[in-house]
Amino acid sequence: LAEVWGAPNKIPKGGVVLMHGCGGYNGGNIRDWAELFVARGYVAIGIDSFSTRGIDNTCNGGKVLMRVGDAYAGAKQLVEKYNVEPAKLVLMGFSHGGITTNLALNRQILDQYSRHIGDTGKFAVGVSLYPFCFNTERAPDFYSPVTIVIGLKDDWTPPRGCTFWRDNQNPDSAPLEVN
């Protein structure tokens, strides 16, 4: 299930796929961000990964990988129906959606989900707001730049894993910024 914002008769500057957090799709948060992007000339799509699957929330874990396919399906819709150039696709996720963003821009995960991409290409950039960066043994190998925004004193999604990734990046990885 998806909700799209933006003028269909205009060629957008780019497209933004918005992924909700673990509590599910609450149009307000997603809508506020979508309207901010639309005001700047972008088209935005909010992806509801849970309601059609009968999932209330995933705040205690799970269901992240299935959402990677949802993100790429949203990108495909923006390219095919809203004239977004594939090189101008942004993936932005909140908490659980931020985890999804980090996974979707990981080269290893991309290889597994490449059939979802078709001719739409890959995301040009990822923005993860307060994700849980769970693997502290090895930093992801991102194919496009990723910015992670996280609170230094956050006790729900602590920054330790994200700063580990930043400090231990693979030299072949696209840039990772942690703020």
Side-chain angles (χ1 to χ4, degrees), residues 91-134:
L91 178 57
M92 182 174 183
F94 306 86
S95 190
H96 194 272
I99 298 169
T100 303
T101 298
N102 294 341
L103 285 171
L105 274 79
N106 184 324
R107 275 193 184 103
Q108 293 172 327
I109 302 296
L110 174 68
D111 291 343
Q112 296 174 26
Y113 282 85
S114 60
R115 71 181 185 282
H116 293 285
I117 299 170
D119 294 330
T120 62
K122 302 179 271 191
F123 289 101
V125 68
V127 180
S128 300
L129 295 142
Y130 46 93
F132 183 68
C133 300
F134 50 86

Side-chain angles (χ1 to χ4, degrees), residues 8-84:
N9 298 331
K10 294 182 181 179
I11 301 296
K13 288 182 182 178
V16 183
V17 177
L18 298 164
M19 303 298 291
H20 63 75
C22 70
Y25 188 85
N26 64 6
N29 180 34
I30 299 293
R31 186 176 300 111
D32 291 345
W33 280 97
E35 289 173 358
L36 180 86
F37 286 114
V38 168
R40 286 158 178 78
Y42 292 79
V43 64
I45 185 168
I47 305 295
D48 178 355
S49 296
F50 294 172
S51 65
T52 58
R53 293 180 171 117
I55 299 169
D56 291 325
N57 73 69
T58 58
C59 295
N60 291 318
K63 309 293 184 196
V64 179
L65 281 175
M66 75 171 185
R67 299 189 69 201
V68 171
D70 294 348
Y72 281 110
K76 186 174 182 176
Q77 185 173 345
L78 289 179
V79 169
E80 292 178 355
K81 293 185 179 179
Y82 296 93
N83 301 313
V84 173

